[in-house]
Amino acid sequence: MSPDGQDGVLLHTEGHTGYVTLNRPKALNALSHTMVRRVDEALAAWEDDPAVETVLIRGAGERGLCAGGDIRSIYEDARAGGSASADFWRDEYRLNVRIARYRKPYVALMDGIVMGGGVGVSAHGSVRIVTERSRVAMPETGIGFVPDVGGTHLLTRAPGRLGTHLALTGNAVGAADALLCGLADHFVPAARLGALTADLARSPVTEVLVRHTTEAPPGELAERREWIDHCYAADTVEEIVDRLLASGVTAAKEAADTLAAKSPTALKVTLAALRSAEQLGTLERVLEQEYRVSCAALSAPDLAEGIRAQVIDKDRTPHWAPATLAEVTDDDVARFFALLGERELRLAGPASPEEVPW
């Protein structure tokens, strides 16, 4: 094991709490494979340690908890036709399950930017805290990818079709909207996070929350429910776009313009994944599906092209293939859900219906 902090994770215990700090602030704490393994090892050890009653995860620096996985590495792997990304996702999704089923309070400080893999290490936890600086998103369609880390599971549980809206557009939401969508539980002003973190070392979570939580500033999604629920209830992405354009609502037209810039294939696969996730039920089954989709995306052209345009060359002009929604066939979408045989990710389901175990 690397010296503490050199692999991007700082670990320590104080009082009754184990603290995990994602420590790559220059990369907005983006997750590497080593970081995922380190966090998983720590959680496994602390879960069986009677001296540790609570676990807290946070990000180093002032910009956010975590911007997601290391997509530059995924880009290189996709171009090389390698398997490193599939190996990373296998361990990352297992970590997501561990967090969701953790037997002790798992407190996630979702301050600042929380995107993609950052959602995976926070929004499955039992105590999810947002601040006025929080920007929570699953922005995968913008790089030719599909929401993963259990994102399709989380977003299908949002009220109405809010989750579909967020999954397809990739839009980031603030504290109130994260609370509304079920991605977070509590609002704490950023200035109080230091005191909350210190208090957890000596007091139970429930007592600490009472001291520091307050009401979040107003959000935007609640008043947009009518057109969002109507437009995103459509059966196809094409019809969703048509409804958005026909609604006469400025924000809906802006959403249609946003979708026009995304990967057509990623949009159609994302909608199919969300609709399937509604039926699959458990996080484990959904993650198994997401693993198939992620592995298929690795060999599809849009993922490497999307990362190139947004992160590598930063020209913001991806050349999607196919270039239009009409050109993406049902067979193209179905390929992303094909079984992987011996490479399947197999996750045990929960022993009982999902519930906070403490």
Side-chain angles (χ1 to χ4, degrees):
M1 182 176 292
S2 302
D4 196 41
Q6 290 190 12
D7 51 14
V9 179
L10 294 170
L11 302 169
H12 79 281
T13 59
E14 182 179 347
H16 302 296
T17 296
Y19 294 89
V20 177
T21 303
L22 304 180
N23 190 38
R24 293 182 68 199
K26 292 182 180 179
L28 245 172
N29 302 317
L31 295 170
S32 67
H33 200 163
T34 300
M35 291 169 70
V36 165
R37 288 175 175 149
R38 189 86 190 281
V39 174
D40 190 67
E41 290 169 2
L43 295 184
W46 286 339
E47 193 163 27
D48 294 327
D49 185 347
V52 176
E53 298 176 359
T54 302
V55 170
L56 178 140
I57 188 167
R58 59 188 172 182
E62 297 295 322
R63 297 171 61 198
L65 171 66
C66 175
D70 188 343
I71 58 176
R72 286 180 177 269
S73 296
I74 294 172
Y75 172 75
E76 296 297 341
D77 192 40
R79 295 186 68 197
S83 61
S85 297
D87 295 339
F88 167 71
W89 290 323
R90 182 177 293 274
D91 286 341
E92 184 182 27
Y93 299 175
R94 291 186 183 279
L95 173 60
N96 300 148
V97 172
R98 184 184 296 280
I99 291 167
R101 306 299 175 210
Y102 211 61
R103 298 194 304 270
K104 297 176 179 179
Y106 180 95
V107 181
L109 302 187
M110 301 172 70
D111 183 36
I113 292 174
V114 184
M115 296 185 178
V119 173
V121 297
S122 59
H124 296 299
S126 51
V127 182
R128 305 162 303 171
I129 295 170
V130 284
T131 75
E132 72 277 8
R133 304 187 300 199
S134 295
R135 302 299 294 165
V136 184
M138 297 298 295
E140 286 78 7
T141 57
I143 58 167
F145 197 44
V146 177
D148 68 333
V149 297
T152 58
H153 176 77
L154 292 165
L155 292 173
T156 56
R157 296 176 154 212
R161 293 297 173 182
L162 293 179
T164 306
H165 171 64
L166 296 182
L168 295 181
T169 62
N171 287 351
V173 296
D177 290 332
L179 293 165
L180 172 64
C181 292
L183 299 173
D185 307 298
H186 307 281
F187 175 81
V188 174
R192 295 191 192 177
L193 291 182
L196 178 147
T197 300
D199 286 351
L200 281 174
R202 53 185 176 269
S203 300
V205 171
T206 51
E207 293 181 14
V208 174
L209 291 173
V210 169
R211 292 177 207 156
H212 297 287
T213 56
T214 185
E215 185 174 350
E220 299 177 346
L221 292 181
E223 63 182 27
R224 299 181 178 183
R225 277 287 305 277
E226 184 175 357
W227 65 261
I228 286 175
D229 288 354
H230 169 70
C231 294
Y232 290 93
D235 291 333
T236 67
V237 179
E238 290 94 332
E239 187 178 351
I240 288 172
V241 173
D242 289 343
R243 290 188 185 188
L244 290 169
L245 293 173
S247 70
V249 178
T250 300
K253 170 64 164 58
E254 292 171 351
D257 291 342
T258 296
L259 295 182
K262 307 301 182 184
S263 158
T265 300
L267 290 175
K268 286 199 170 184
V269 175
T270 295
L271 184 62
L274 290 166
R275 298 291 162 83
S276 177
E278 291 176 359
Q279 306 303 317
L280 289 172
T282 67
L283 173 63
E284 285 81 359
R285 298 289 86 80
V286 174
L287 280 166
E288 289 169 353
Q289 172 177 275
E290 289 181 354
Y291 186 74
R292 297 179 200 117
V293 171
S294 296
C295 289
L298 195 63
S299 60
D302 279 2
L303 178 57
E305 172 60 13
I307 297 174
R308 180 207 64 76
Q310 301 297 342
V311 178
I312 307 299
D313 297 337
K314 298 183 179 179
D315 57 34
R316 314 292 190 223
T317 56
H319 301 287
W320 305 124
T324 67
L325 289 169
E327 294 175 275
V328 182
T329 68
D330 290 345
D331 285 344
D332 292 333
V333 174
R335 185 182 71 82
F336 283 78
F337 297 88
L339 297 177
L340 299 175
E342 293 182 356
R343 295 187 296 122
E344 281 283 320
L345 175 63
R346 304 190 186 279
L347 300 169
S352 59
E354 293 183 28
E355 58 185 14
V356 176
W358 43 273

